[in-house]
Amino acid sequence: MLKYTEEHEWLNVEGDIATIGITQHAATQLGDLVFVELPKIGASLKKGAAAAVVESVKTASDVYAPLDGSVVEINQPVADDPTIISADPLGRGWLYKLRVANLADLDGFLDEAAYANLIA
């Protein structure tokens, strides 16, 4: 189940684990990515709180936690090489995996068509 936020993040939920990244639109808007700060494994995140930072030659942007939960895995390769995010944001460019605290909170995210309308 691939969903999107209005803050240009995507999340793919399997069971109670959400894989989270930024969209192609966000990556394109940021430009050449030069640095990524990922959350710590085991960190508890609250919905709407800054979870990660992506920095480009233009600016640095927070990536917000779309849900409450705890970080169970990070994508270390994108921290080592942030260009992976721009090259494959919905695949190898994921940022972290979150064990969702409350699956009922999954309602209200955008589907692909709604996100496409948002960025049109």
Side-chain angles (χ1 to χ4, degrees):
M1 170 174 58
L2 187 60
K3 296 289 186 180
Y4 298 87
T5 72
E6 293 182 357
E7 290 75 32
H8 309 291
E9 297 151 355
W10 61 265
L11 57 153
N12 188 22
V13 180
E14 295 178 22
D16 65 346
I17 303 295
T19 302
I20 296 161
I22 64 172
T23 64
Q24 179 70 60
H25 175 78
T28 300
Q29 293 297 311
L30 287 167
D32 295 331
L33 297 178
V34 295
F35 177 77
V36 175
E37 181 180 330
L38 298 171
K40 304 281 187 221
I41 293 174
S44 290
L45 301 178
K46 292 290 183 189
K47 181 179 178 178
V53 176
V54 289
E55 185 176 328
S56 71
V57 294
K58 294 181 189 176
T59 189
S61 295
D62 288 330
V63 178
Y64 301 101
L67 299 160
D68 293 348
S70 59
V71 177
V72 294
E73 187 176 347
I74 60 171
N75 188 2
Q76 187 61 44
V78 300
D80 298 337
D81 180 8
T83 64
I84 294 171
I85 296 170
S86 297
D88 191 14
L90 288 171
R92 295 181 308 121
W94 62 275
L95 299 176
Y96 63 95
K97 294 185 179 188
L98 188 72
R99 184 175 309 281
V100 178
N102 186 356
L103 293 173
D105 292 341
L106 290 172
D107 294 337
F109 289 101
L110 304 172
D111 62 17
E112 187 171 351
Y115 183 72
N117 284 335
L118 177 73
I119 61 174

